[in-house]
Amino acid sequence: MLLANKNAIIYGASGAIGSHISRAFHLAGAHLFLVGRNKEKLDAFAATLPDQQRVDTASVDASDENAVKKHAAEVVEKAGSIDISVNVTGVFHIQGVAFADLSVEDFMFPVNHYIRTNFITAQAAAKHMIPKKSGVLLSISTPGSKLPGTGFMGYGLACSGIEALNRHFAGELGAYGIRSVCLRPDAIPEAIAAGSHSKEVFAKASAAAGISIEEMLAMHAQSGPLLKRLPTLEEVANTAVFMASDHASAITGTVANLTCGSQVD
Ligand SMILES: NC(=O)c1ccc[n+]([C@@H]2O[C@H](COP(=O)([O-])OP(=O)(O)OC[C@H]3O[C@@H](n4cnc5c(N)ncnc54)[C@H](OP(=O)(O)O)[C@@H]3O)[C@@H](O)[C@H]2O)c1
């Protein structure tokens, strides 16, 4: 089992991507510390996992520095270490508004959430990983980190920022044996079906085009990715397991390109 005896905190664990990564980590042997704001949602998901001895849940706002630090300390007290910290939180934000009409609040909202929470969660874990001289930080972005397209300036900047933070985490922490990897999937149709906040985010663009979100993603799948399809939740979760495992021990400071070829290096 790739993650046997590893303790993993997953922020955003009740979400479409977070729940798939959490399940895959669990099946790979990890002890899970699942985090979100809504504990009921977390507990409902946690109850579906086979080994309840290896699952804990906590309601923590990832943008609250003190709450995240307190929770991280509680995890270490209970489990002895934080081996993996994953930030896959996601929040509704405005897309589809032209630059000339975009308010500074709507522009800054995703930047604030994603940059603030990634800084806070990584730092809280790093403090406990440094003395152990090992650990893995995982984050998530989208192709928006590189695209010049219209209507997602704030979110695009947030994604570029997450990838920049990933490089800095790797640079600051490499000497302590701590790795940092960002996952960059293209849009995942299954996530929309699973109730992801991205459904509401994409609603404006699909309404403007006069088609459903599913049709919009199907058109994108045919025109963008070299593989003529979009990534699955399982593919993202399996990559997260690999990147978090010792099989990826030489990999740090990089972005795992899960775009099915809609972006190439
Ligand atoms: N969906 C896609 O197609 C796709 C593709 C590529 C990348 N991504 C990225 O992947 C991430 C997750 O997307 P998703 O589709 O899985 O989203 P989702 O299903 O809407 O899940 C979001 C998760 O984040 C948690 N969360 C939100 N704010 C939080 C906070 N302040 N503190 C703690 N937890 C918080 C939510 O739980 P609570 O509300 O209970 O806190 C929920 O568990 C996002 O960053 C997104 O940009 C998504």
Side-chain angles (χ1 to χ4, degrees):
M1 297 221 277
L2 284 186
L3 303 182
N5 303 318
K6 304 274 189 196
N7 301 313
I9 303 182
I10 295 129
Y11 298 91
S14 59
I17 296 173
S19 60
H20 274 73
I21 289 179
S22 299
R23 184 176 300 283
F25 275 24
H26 189 76
L27 296 177
H31 186 136
L32 305 182
F33 292 86
L34 308 179
V35 174
R37 291 164 303 179
N38 181 333
K39 188 149 185 319
E40 242 172 68
K41 225 168 42 164
L42 279 177
D43 286 339
F45 165 65
T48 68
L49 296 170
D51 182 358
Q52 291 297 305
Q53 300 299 314
R54 289 189 288 115
V55 191
D56 285 85
T57 60
S59 170
V60 178
D61 183 338
S63 65
D64 181 339
E65 183 185 7
N66 290 333
V68 170
K69 279 185 177 160
K70 183 170 172 281
H71 173 256
E74 287 164 2
V75 170
V76 172
E77 197 174 323
K78 174 165 186 178
S81 64
I82 300 167
D83 304 302
I84 306 161
S85 175
V86 184
N87 186 329
V88 285
T89 63
V91 282
F92 172 75
H93 55 274
I94 299 293
Q95 290 193 17
V97 175
F99 175 42
D101 301 320
L102 186 63
S103 72
V104 70
E105 288 76 21
D106 287 345
F107 167 63
M108 285 303 296
F109 181 80
V111 179
N112 282 334
H113 170 82
Y114 287 105
I115 302 308
R116 183 180 172 86
T117 64
N118 274 280
F119 178 92
I120 288 173
T121 60
Q123 190 186 53
K127 283 199 168 145
H128 297 281
M129 291 173 173
I130 287 170
K132 299 247 170 201
K133 291 202 175 289
S134 75
V136 182
L137 305 172
L138 295 184
S139 54
I140 192 159
S141 71
T142 73
S145 62
K146 298 274 181 200
L147 294 172
T150 57
F152 54 89
M153 189 178 277
Y155 185 58
L157 188 65
C159 289
S160 305
I162 293 166
E163 293 184 9
L165 277 178
N166 173 54
R167 288 191 294 274
H168 284 284
F169 295 155
E172 294 266 352
L173 301 169
Y176 301 101
I178 299 166
R179 300 188 292 109
S180 181
V181 175
C182 182
L183 311 173
R184 187 204 291 155
D186 204 330
I188 307 163
E190 288 170 301
I192 309 292
S196 164
H197 72 283
S198 28
K199 181 170 185 176
E200 207 183 339
V201 172
F202 290 153
K204 203 180 194 107
S206 75
I211 53 176
S212 69
I213 295 172
E214 291 73 18
E215 288 167 333
M216 189 175 81
L217 292 182
M219 281 170 65
H220 173 55
Q222 285 311 305
S223 61
L226 299 177
L227 297 178
K228 303 295 174 201
R229 67 175 182 86
L230 291 165
T232 65
L233 288 168
E234 190 183 359
E235 286 170 329
V236 176
N238 287 343
T239 305
V241 169
F242 171 73
M243 288 299 180
S245 79
D246 293 343
H247 283 207
S249 50
I251 301 177
T252 192
T254 196
V255 174
N257 181 342
L258 286 149
T259 64
C260 290
S262 59
Q263 284 176 334
V264 291
D265 297 331

